[in-house]
Amino acid sequence: MLKGAFATVLALAAAMPAPAQDAGLRSQVEAALATAPAGTRFGLMVVDENGREIVAIDPDQRFIPASNTKMFTTATAWATLPDMTGPDTSGGAAVRLEGRDVVLVGNGDARLSSADDCVTDCLATLADAVAAKTRVVGDVIGDDTLFPDERWSPGMSWNNIPTRSGTGISALTLDDNELAVTVGTDGKATLPAYYTVENRVTVVPGTKSDIGFDRAPNGYVLRLTGTIGADARPERLRVGIDDPARYAAWRFGEMLRARGVRVTGKIDVRHRALMPADDPAVRRNAPPARPPAVPVLAKLTPPPLADDVMLTNKVSQNLHAELFLRRVALVAGSGSIADGQVAVRGVMAKAGAPRASFDFSDGSGMSSYNRVAPRGAVALLRWIATQPWGAAWRATLPVGGVDGTLARRFAGTILDRKLFAKTGSLNATSALSGYMIAASGRTLTFSVYANDIPDGTSATKAMDAALVLIAAAN
C-alpha cells in the first residue's frame, strides 16, 4: 500500500505546474549548451530533493538515450530479480550427458570464463566434471534455449555486429562473447582457430598503426586490413561472436580434449526460435509454458548479480545489460525482449514516469529505436533513491573524475568526485543522468541528453559545463 501511495504522490507531483525557474541561471545554462556544435538538440532537467525544478529545457522531448538505457535495465533488475546480493544460484552454466553426447547448458550468466587464470565461474570446472565421468564423448552441444533466439535487438546498426559492442546475445555466454586477436609487428595475426583469417595488414615504417576488421554476419572468415608500424606495439583487437552457444561448445570441446577426453562427434547447437508466444501481448500476459527441469552432471554458481551491475554500469558493458534484460524477462515471461520491456514499463509506472517519456527496444542502448525524455529519467532516479536497494544501485554509477566512463570528466571542477551518473554515447548522441552534490551540499537529480550532434564533433564539454554551472549556483 505504501509503495502504491508513493507512486501516486509522484504521479500527482509530475502533473502539477512547475514553479518558475531562475531565469538568470537558465540563461547561463542555455549559453553553455549553445557552445556545442550547431544543430545539436538538447533536453535537460535538474530537480532538488523535493522535486522542485531548478532548470528544465525541453524536459518532455524524447531523445535517443544511448547507454543511459542501462540505467533503466539495471534498476529493473534490482527491482525484479529475487536475490541480487547472494550467490547467483539460478544463472550458472551447467553440463549434462545425453547418451554419449555432452550438452553445455546456458542459464543466462554473463561471466562464464575459459581463461587459463580463471578462479571463479570457470568453464574448466565443468570440463573437469565431464572428464571425471567419461573418457569418450560424441557430439558437444551448446544449448541456449533458455531464452528465445534474439541475438541482436531491433534497431541496432548492422555494422556493429563484427565488434565487441554488437556481439551476439545468448543464454550461453562465454568470455563476454568476444575473441581476442593479436597482430604482431610482423603483420601476422594470432587468434583461436574458431575463425579463419584473411589478413591484408601491411607493415609500414614507424610506430603508428591503423588496423580495421570486418566479418559477414554469421560468417567465420575475419578480414583484417590496414597497417601496423614496424616499431609499434602489437595490436590487440577484440571481435564479436555471432553464435555464442556454438563458440562455447567449440571451446568446451577443446578443453575436453586437453583433459584427454576423446570427442568423436561434431560441435552443435540448440537454439529456441522466437515464437508468437514469446510476446506477452499475444499470450495476454499469461505465464509461458516452461519445460521440465532436466538433471545435470554439474552446475556453476556465479558471484552475486550485484557485482555484475557494478561492472555493467561503470564500464557500460552492452552484453551484460542485455542479459539482465532477458533474465528480468524470465521472471514472469519467456526471456524475450518483449517480456523484458513489460518489466521495465512496470518499474517506470511505479516511478510515476509519464508513459510518453520512454520507449525501449533493447537493454543496453545500442538500439537507435530507444527514446527517453529527461523527465522520465529523473522520475526513475528519484524513485530509485527511495528504494531499499537505491544506495547500492547508486554505488554502481561512474563517479566524476574517479572511475568508469566518467574517469576523465569533471576532474578539477566543483563536481569532482561529487557526480554519480550513467553516461551514454552513440552516433550523434550523448547522454548523462544521475545525481550530483551541489555547492550547498544538497543532492540534485538530473538528466541531460544531446542528439543530432554533427559528425566528428562532441557535445560533452557543453553538457558538463551546464551541470557545473547549476551545481555552483545551488
Side-chain angles (χ1 to χ4, degrees):
M1 289 293 292
L2 288 175
K3 289 183 179 179
F6 183 74
T8 302
V9 169
L10 280 179
L12 290 172
M16 292 174 63
Q21 302 173 42
D22 181 331
L25 177 59
R26 180 188 169 102
S27 295
Q28 293 178 54
V29 170
E30 289 176 331
L33 296 178
T35 64
T40 302
R41 183 169 62 92
F42 286 103
L44 178 146
M45 188 173 187
V46 182
V47 303
D48 66 13
E49 301 99 320
N50 299 315
R52 181 183 68 87
E53 291 182 11
I54 295 172
V55 178
I57 298 171
D58 284 337
D60 298 305
Q61 291 296 310
R62 288 154 54 100
F63 298 82
I64 297 172
S67 284
N68 244 209
T69 303
K70 294 179 179 73
M71 181 173 77
F72 299 83
T73 303
T74 57
T76 301
W78 267 102
T80 306
L81 296 177
D83 185 7
M84 294 291 290
T85 58
D88 182 12
T89 56
S90 63
V95 66
R96 67 173 182 261
L97 297 176
E98 294 182 356
R100 278 203 165 186
D101 295 339
V102 59
V103 183
L104 181 63
V105 183
N107 288 306
D109 174 39
R111 295 163 289 176
L112 181 63
S113 172
S114 70
D116 292 339
D117 59 353
C118 178
V119 296
T120 304
D121 206 9
C122 306
L123 186 61
T125 304
L126 300 181
D128 289 341
V130 174
K133 184 72 173 179
T134 181
R135 306 307 292 171
V136 181
V137 300
D139 295 346
V140 180
I141 303 166
D143 183 331
D144 67 356
T145 57
L146 182 70
F147 305 146
D149 190 1
E150 297 178 284
R151 278 172 264 177
W152 299 283
S153 302
M156 190 190 84
S157 298
W158 65 267
N159 55 295
N160 286 308
I161 289 176
T163 73
R164 64 188 301 190
S165 296
T167 194
I169 314 301
S170 168
L172 180 53
T173 281
L174 177 67
D175 300 333
D176 286 335
N177 296 344
E178 300 172 5
L179 208 64
V181 180
T182 301
V183 180
T185 53
D186 57 359
K188 294 181 179 179
T190 304
L191 71 161
Y194 185 72
Y195 288 148
T196 57
V197 175
E198 181 183 307
N199 191 349
R200 300 183 181 181
V201 174
T202 57
V203 180
V204 297
T207 60
K208 294 184 178 180
S209 299
D210 184 13
I211 296 176
F213 62 88
D214 198 10
R215 179 179 49 78
N218 292 314
Y220 289 85
V221 177
L222 181 68
R223 182 181 300 109
L224 301 177
T225 58
T227 59
I228 187 165
D231 299 315
R233 294 180 179 179
E235 191 84 1
R236 185 175 174 85
L237 312 171
R238 301 198 71 86
V239 301
I241 294 170
D242 291 355
D243 193 344
R246 183 175 293 279
Y247 168 70
W250 175 82
R251 185 76 179 96
F252 197 54
E254 295 291 300
M255 297 179 80
L256 291 176
R257 292 186 184 96
R259 286 158 173 76
V261 177
R262 188 158 59 95
V263 179
T264 62
K266 63 184 180 299
I267 302 299
D268 207 351
V269 290
R270 292 176 184 168
H271 299 309
R272 174 161 67 90
L274 181 70
M275 302 296 287
D278 292 305
D279 186 343
V282 172
R283 293 195 316 269
R284 298 184 179 180
N285 292 319
R290 299 191 191 277
V294 179
V296 297
L297 176 64
K299 186 176 186 295
L300 298 175
T301 301
L305 286 170
D307 296 351
D308 199 23
V309 175
M310 181 76 72
L311 172 72
T312 301
N313 283 339
K314 287 286 189 185
V315 304
S316 207
Q317 224 290 351
N318 291 328
L319 169 65
H320 293 220
E322 293 293 346
L323 287 171
F324 271 120
L325 182 70
R326 285 153 179 80
R327 291 191 65 170
V328 162
L330 203 63
V331 172
S334 72
S336 66
I337 293 172
D339 275 313
Q341 291 167 344
V342 168
V344 174
R345 287 198 294 271
V347 165
M348 293 297 282
K350 292 178 182 177
R355 179 60 191 88
S357 68
F358 64 93
D359 276 300
F360 296 107
S361 290
D362 72 358
S364 65
M366 290 296 290
S367 175
S368 61
Y369 295 172
N370 296 335
R371 292 294 185 276
V372 174
R375 191 179 302 280
V378 167
L380 175 69
L381 288 161
R382 293 194 66 224
W383 177 78
I384 289 170
T386 69
Q387 300 306 299
W389 45 266
W393 181 86
R394 171 173 155 164
T396 71
L397 299 175
V399 181
V402 176
D403 63 10
T405 53
L406 286 177
R408 297 183 179 181
R409 291 171 67 177
F410 298 102
T413 74
I414 192 174
L415 290 175
D416 191 346
R417 301 175 181 267
K418 293 184 178 181
L419 182 139
F420 317 88
K422 184 69 197 75
T423 56
S425 180
L426 199 64
N427 184 44
T429 296
S430 287
L432 191 66
S433 300
Y435 310 97
M436 59 181 176
I437 301 173
S440 65
R442 295 185 301 161
T443 297
L444 309 182
T445 306
F446 72 90
S447 179
V448 55
Y449 294 109
N451 276 191
D452 302 326
I453 305 168
D455 187 39
T457 67
S458 172
T460 56
K461 286 186 178 180
M463 294 165 64
D464 294 358
L467 293 175
V468 167
L469 279 170
I470 295 167
N474 286 274

